[in-house]
Amino acid sequence: MSETAGGESPAPSPMTRREAARARREAAVTGVDAPVAPTPAHVPPSAPLPHEAMRAARTEFESQVAQAREHFEQANERIKQRTGRDLIVAILIGIAIGAVVLSSLIFLKWIFVLFALAASILGTVELARALQVGGRRVDLVPQLMLGSALIVAAATLGDALMWVTLFSSVAIIVVWRLIAQMIAKDGRTYGDVLRDVVVGVFLQLYVPFLASLCVVLLRQEQGEYWVLAFIIVAVATDTGAYAAGISFGKHPMAPRISPKKTWEGFAGAVLAAILAGLLLALFMLHLPLWCGVVLGVAVLAAATIGDLGESMLKRDLGIKDMSSWLPGHGGVLDRLDSILLSTVPALALYYFFSPLMTS
């Protein structure tokens, strides 16, 4: 008998929350409405199920995150195809290097000297290997020893002794190459030997000497702020050129040297450099605004020449990057090409503007 003594069917037992949720999921799969069971007396019929609401919210959030990640990866892939760089890795590496430089300049200046020494050594190794692949004879050991001595002299000795160290380094490199060639006796022509000597001198002047000028600037009164300022302007120049070139670049600037550089990117670099110079002059260097414009334009010119110069050198050597030591960036020199040459106008402008600085 399925009925009670009074002729009525017994009331079904109340469903638990878990059973109700399972019934709804089965209904969603089969398309059949789930039976509505009496709600337990201690739970109001309209009360939401907390764990179901949290699960739905989490599912929605994960879906939005997945969509955002997919869109970012698609944009990153388009940028990578156009520039050959991984944007995510490049940003992370740039932030890490920037944090080290900023911390060293603000808290412990001698750490920045070690950073400059390491950058000089790595840059020298990169360029020496690239030149050797291109057929030039480069003596790496004396290059590293003399370049390191130049950085140390810039940090510890006076300006006069630093110049003596530079001239001594150049002379030793020339004599070393000539003696090494005499010992080799491999029939190398005089023209090739002369090119090897010129290349050796260029390597010493391009990497260790320019890095030592940055250390000289650091040694001056409030020099850490000037080092930070010209690095910021150089980075702003690269960033402005990159952003504008990616967004609007259509007209190549120097197609035979660097096909991916455009006049639109250069316009972005000009705006970024001048704006950075103005802000730095006003809030950090305490200089008149026109000094900020001069600083921005001077560093912009040096950074652009340095960038194009390294691009021309790499094209002549038949390589894309100096190395792959910095993922997303290439080599150390690929990041320092605009900064190294900017040390020259930065140091000159410090001497010129220092009487105008206010406390």
Side-chain angles (χ1 to χ4, degrees):
M1 297 293 293
S2 61
E3 297 181 353
T4 61
E8 296 179 354
S9 300
S13 60
M15 299 177 67
T16 64
R17 294 179 180 176
R18 182 173 299 176
E19 292 171 344
R22 185 183 300 113
R24 285 195 296 271
R25 287 196 297 269
E26 292 175 353
V29 174
T30 60
V32 180
D33 293 338
V36 179
T39 306
H42 62 279
V43 179
S46 60
L49 300 175
H51 63 285
E52 290 295 325
M54 291 179 61
R55 183 180 301 171
R58 185 177 64 183
T59 302
E60 179 66 20
F61 176 74
E62 291 176 349
S63 176
Q64 293 178 357
V65 170
Q67 291 178 2
R69 181 185 301 171
E70 183 179 357
H71 293 161
F72 184 80
E73 289 176 352
Q74 291 175 356
N76 183 47
E77 188 63 27
R78 289 194 297 268
I79 293 175
K80 187 176 180 180
Q81 290 176 356
R82 183 168 182 177
T83 64
R85 306 292 184 193
D86 191 319
L87 181 60
I88 300 176
V89 176
I91 291 175
L92 293 177
I93 294 293
I95 291 175
I97 295 176
V100 172
V101 172
L102 181 62
S103 301
S104 64
L105 288 174
I106 293 178
F107 300 110
L108 293 172
K109 295 166 66 172
W110 65 268
I111 295 181
F112 182 83
V113 176
L114 295 179
F115 181 82
L117 178 60
S120 174
I121 291 174
L122 294 176
T124 300
V125 172
E126 283 183 350
L127 187 53
R129 288 180 175 176
L131 291 169
Q132 288 171 348
V133 172
R136 302 270 65 88
R137 300 285 178 85
V138 179
D139 305 300
L140 185 57
V141 173
Q143 289 282 352
L144 293 176
M145 293 175 58
L146 296 170
S148 300
L150 191 57
I151 300 292
V152 173
T156 58
L157 304 178
D159 294 348
L161 290 178
M162 191 207 77
W163 285 103
V164 171
T165 305
L166 173 64
F167 294 141
S168 301
S169 299
V170 171
I172 292 173
I173 286 172
V174 172
V175 174
W176 189 295
R177 177 87 297 271
L178 293 177
I179 293 177
Q181 183 58 46
M182 291 173 59
I183 295 175
K185 296 180 179 179
D186 55 0
R188 200 166 177 81
T189 64
Y190 291 112
D192 287 335
V193 174
L194 179 59
R195 293 187 189 93
D196 295 339
V197 170
V198 172
V199 163
V201 173
F202 165 76
L203 176 56
Q204 190 71 192
L205 294 177
Y206 179 53
V207 184
F209 172 63
L210 292 179
S212 70
L213 291 184
C214 184
V215 177
V216 171
L217 179 59
L218 178 69
R219 252 191 19 239
Q220 310 304 316
E221 183 180 359
Q222 298 186 3
E224 62 271 22
Y225 298 111
W226 275 83
V227 171
L228 182 59
F230 92 79
I231 291 177
I232 289 176
V233 175
V235 172
T237 299
D238 286 344
T239 305
Y242 184 84
I246 287 292
S247 303
F248 313 108
K250 293 182 180 179
H251 302 87
M253 183 178 178
R256 293 187 177 182
I257 298 176
S258 183
K260 294 179 181 178
K261 291 181 174 58
T262 62
W263 285 108
E264 290 81 3
F266 180 71
V270 171
L271 293 176
I274 293 177
L275 179 59
L278 287 171
L279 294 176
L280 291 167
L282 182 62
F283 295 108
M284 191 169 74
L285 300 180
H286 306 294
L287 290 169
L289 291 180
W290 67 269
C291 296
V293 176
V294 173
L295 175 64
V297 172
V299 173
L300 167 70
T304 303
I305 294 173
D307 194 3
L308 290 175
E310 202 218 10
S311 297
M312 183 171 59
L313 179 61
K314 290 189 294 186
R315 180 168 289 272
D316 183 64
L317 294 174
I319 58 177
K320 181 181 182 295
D321 294 322
M322 285 295 179
S323 74
S324 57
W325 290 347
L326 296 178
H329 293 271
V332 174
L333 282 182
D334 294 312
R335 292 300 89 202
L336 295 181
D337 53 1
S338 57
I339 293 177
L340 281 175
L341 201 60
S342 299
T343 58
V344 177
L347 183 60
L349 290 177
Y350 171 83
Y351 288 131
F352 185 73
F353 288 152
S354 55
L356 302 176
M357 288 189 293
T358 59
S359 58

